[in-house]
Amino acid sequence: MLGLAFAMGTPPGGASGGGQSALLNIVPLIFMFGIFYFLLIRPQQKRAKEHRVLLDALKKGDQVVTAGGVHGKVSAIDEAVVTLEVATGVNIKVDKGHIARVVIK
């Protein structure tokens, strides 16, 4: 039993050859990060950029849909708040970030 414990440990003298082994252990981590970057992080950043462009291009009179599904026409735009006319004479204020898309007619 004692011989088996020594066989599983490092060789006498402390030379384990771990430099090459450590490099081989890092390669799969780098590969996994690359996969996560191209499948998750990059598409998320692309969608966020498109949403920012959409919000910057909003103008009075656009037909929009909010993230909650409310349809309305933009009647006023502030820096962080958009006023939507959802029916004749009925205006609601919505946070600008919650505008999901512009409806194209």
Side-chain angles (χ1 to χ4, degrees), residues 1 3 5 16 24 27 34 38 51 57 74 83-85 89-90 96-97:
M1 185 71 147
S16 64
L24 291 176
V27 170
F38 284 108
H51 189 248
V74 176
T83 304
L84 299 179
E85 184 176 1
V90 179
K96 193 173 185 179

Side-chain angles (χ1 to χ4, degrees), residues 27-48:
V27 170
L29 292 174
I30 293 171
F31 183 68
M32 286 175 44
F33 178 76
I35 290 172
F36 277 114
Y37 177 76
F38 284 108
L39 293 179
L40 297 173
I41 298 170
R42 192 166 174 231
Q44 174 67 26
Q45 289 176 340
K46 184 179 177 186
R47 272 184 259 127

Side-chain angles (χ1 to χ4, degrees), residues 53-77:
V53 169
L54 173 116
L55 294 180
D56 291 339
L58 270 181
K59 59 188 180 297
K60 189 175 178 180
D62 284 346
Q63 293 284 338
V64 297
V65 179
T66 66
V70 177
H71 291 250
K73 185 168 92 173
V74 176
S75 60
I77 299 175

